[in-house]
Amino acid sequence: MAPPSQRRVVLTLGLAQTLAWASTYYLPAMLAAPMAADLGLATPMVFAAFSLALGVAALVGPRVGQAMDRWGGRAILAATSVLFAASLVALGHVQGLWSLLLAWCGLGLGIASGLYEAAFATVVRLYGQQARKAITGITLLAGFASTVGWPLTHWMQLHWGWRSTCWVWAGVHLVLCLPLYLSLPSDRQAPTPAPAPTAEPDGAPRPRLDLRTGLLALVFAASGFISSAMAAHLPALLQACGIAAGLALTVGMLMGPAQVAARLLEFSLLRHLPPLVNARLATVLHPVGAALLLLLGPPGALLFGVLHGAGNGMLTIARGTLPLQLFGPQGYGHRQGLLQGPARVAQALAPWLFGVALAQWQGQALWLSAALGLLSVAALLVLSRHMAKD
């Protein structure tokens, strides 16, 4: 049987993922302050609840990956739409710290099973080694999640309040995301290689924790830390480097288009290169941009925004394509859960740790993220040499 049309699958998953990211991961940026004021909490406590959600996602990620390998991504994504809706309804009803933490724990379970990793696993089950183009297409469309989500969430919060905003997003998951996921072709019977000798009793493959897995987890954790740190502290960091507030805002606005442009480049000119080559290019862009900013000051700020945004956009694709290139489609969901666990922990800790570094070192804190970027480059070089020996 011929595989289903990639175009339809990419459009379906891309739209659903845009809405899923907008209504969960990008929610605190717009709702943390009004939520904290209403609940009588400090705003950092709301972000701490979000960090808890990322920690929950890291903890359950491998199990969710195993479930995707067993039952297929479509079933997990559809179930997660219901989980997201229930958690957002609960978030809209919170009355204090403990109910806030509980609601974000529910959202954390959804983040583990309803964002990119599940979408990538779905297309890998459908298309196997030919899924790279589909992965790139999904990230290209969902790259507009913050562009769509932040203005919508801000508008709803201003007109209806933060509680009603959560409930509206819950309805979006039930009315739009759930039907979109259910319209996907079944991936339970997608052709996959025969189970390896290390398979578990139910036939699901059991990935080995070898050097390649460790190096790739390190790359994803370092890049996740950089991305989360920049998202939380970019305006303050730029001003600590002597950049005027207006220029800092312009730099921040450049990052989104740079991400999308880099994904378009990956989708067109760079798609014929091995994902490992593109990943090395992506990881080096942040350190280069950081060096330009620190050495040139304001003239290097715009270059930093473009280079960081482009690298971040390409690394999002690498999260899906590198495991496929290195390990193949067998056990893809479980392996993604293992690989993304450290990255989610790093993302959860980054706003706090980089904030401490920024307070202590001012603009020189950028050397920390640059060093992590160079560590990623080194890990990928070691990985390339290790693969060449195999």
Side-chain angles (χ1 to χ4, degrees):
M1 181 182 296
S5 166
Q6 279 203 26
R7 178 177 298 179
R8 183 175 73 84
V9 170
V10 166
L11 288 174
T12 300
L13 283 171
L15 175 57
Q17 284 290 294
T18 299
L19 296 172
W21 280 90
S23 59
T24 58
Y25 194 88
Y26 291 116
L27 207 61
M30 294 293 107
L31 295 189
M35 191 181 295
D38 187 37
L39 296 174
L41 300 172
T43 300
M45 188 58 66
V46 178
F47 283 104
F50 177 55
S51 294
L52 174 65
L54 295 178
V56 169
L59 185 65
V60 304
R63 290 295 182 186
V64 170
Q66 287 179 310
M68 287 188 287
D69 289 334
R70 187 176 306 149
W71 296 315
R74 184 183 73 162
I76 299 297
L77 286 166
T80 302
S81 286
V82 178
L83 174 60
F84 272 146
S87 299
L88 286 165
V89 168
L91 185 63
H93 281 96
V94 300
Q95 298 299 323
L97 176 60
W98 292 109
S99 55
L100 175 70
L101 295 175
L102 185 61
W104 272 107
C105 282
L107 286 167
L109 292 173
I111 288 171
S113 59
L115 298 183
Y116 275 148
E117 284 70 42
F120 294 163
T122 302
V123 295
V124 166
R125 286 175 65 88
L126 288 170
Y127 306 112
Q129 292 284 4
Q130 307 305 313
R132 178 180 176 181
K133 184 177 179 181
I135 289 171
T136 305
I138 292 167
T139 62
L140 180 61
L141 293 175
F144 293 99
S146 60
T147 306
V148 172
W150 281 341
L152 275 177
T153 299
H154 180 65
W155 185 89
M156 289 189 288
Q157 193 279 133
L158 285 178
H159 289 81
W160 303 329
W162 69 268
R163 295 181 186 274
S164 294
T165 300
C166 293
W167 298 332
V168 170
W169 279 125
V172 167
H173 280 281
L174 295 178
V175 175
L176 292 178
C177 294
L178 180 58
L180 284 170
Y181 289 138
L182 292 176
S183 73
L184 291 168
S186 174
D187 57 335
R188 287 200 63 178
Q189 303 301 320
T192 56
T198 56
E200 296 182 8
D202 62 1
R206 185 173 60 227
R208 294 180 303 163
L209 299 178
D210 55 11
L211 177 63
R212 293 182 301 170
T213 303
L215 289 170
L216 205 54
L218 173 62
V219 171
F220 291 161
S223 61
F225 183 98
I226 294 169
S227 176
S228 185
M230 293 302 105
H233 297 290
L234 182 65
L237 172 66
L238 291 173
Q239 292 181 59
C241 291
I243 309 302
L247 181 57
L249 178 60
T250 302
V251 173
M253 293 173 62
L254 279 174
M255 287 173 54
Q259 284 191 117
V260 174
R263 289 170 183 168
L264 282 171
L265 188 64
E266 163 88 12
F267 192 74
S268 54
L269 297 179
L270 300 181
R271 65 180 177 177
H272 300 297
L273 295 177
L276 198 54
V277 174
N278 289 348
R280 289 203 300 268
L281 172 62
T283 53
V284 81
L285 292 180
H286 176 83
V288 170
L292 290 172
L293 174 58
L294 289 168
L295 294 175
L296 301 179
L302 294 176
L303 290 173
F304 169 75
V306 170
L307 291 174
H308 170 74
N312 195 49
M314 293 175 67
L315 280 168
T316 303
I317 298 171
R319 284 168 50 188
T321 57
L322 270 182
L324 181 61
Q325 179 199 11
L326 297 180
F327 306 107
Q330 188 179 10
Y332 180 89
H334 187 192
R335 191 177 298 280
Q336 278 287 64
L338 293 172
L339 290 170
Q340 297 304 327
R344 287 198 175 104
V345 172
Q347 287 175 317
L349 294 175
W352 169 59
L353 289 177
F354 196 82
V356 171
L358 186 60
Q360 293 293 321
W361 304 332
Q362 298 301 309
Q364 298 302 310
L366 192 55
W367 287 118
L368 172 61
S369 62
L372 288 173
L374 292 175
L375 179 63
S376 296
V377 176
L380 288 172
L381 289 173
V382 173
L383 184 57
S384 298
R385 293 178 181 177
H386 179 71
M387 290 180 61
K389 294 178 181 179
D390 292 344

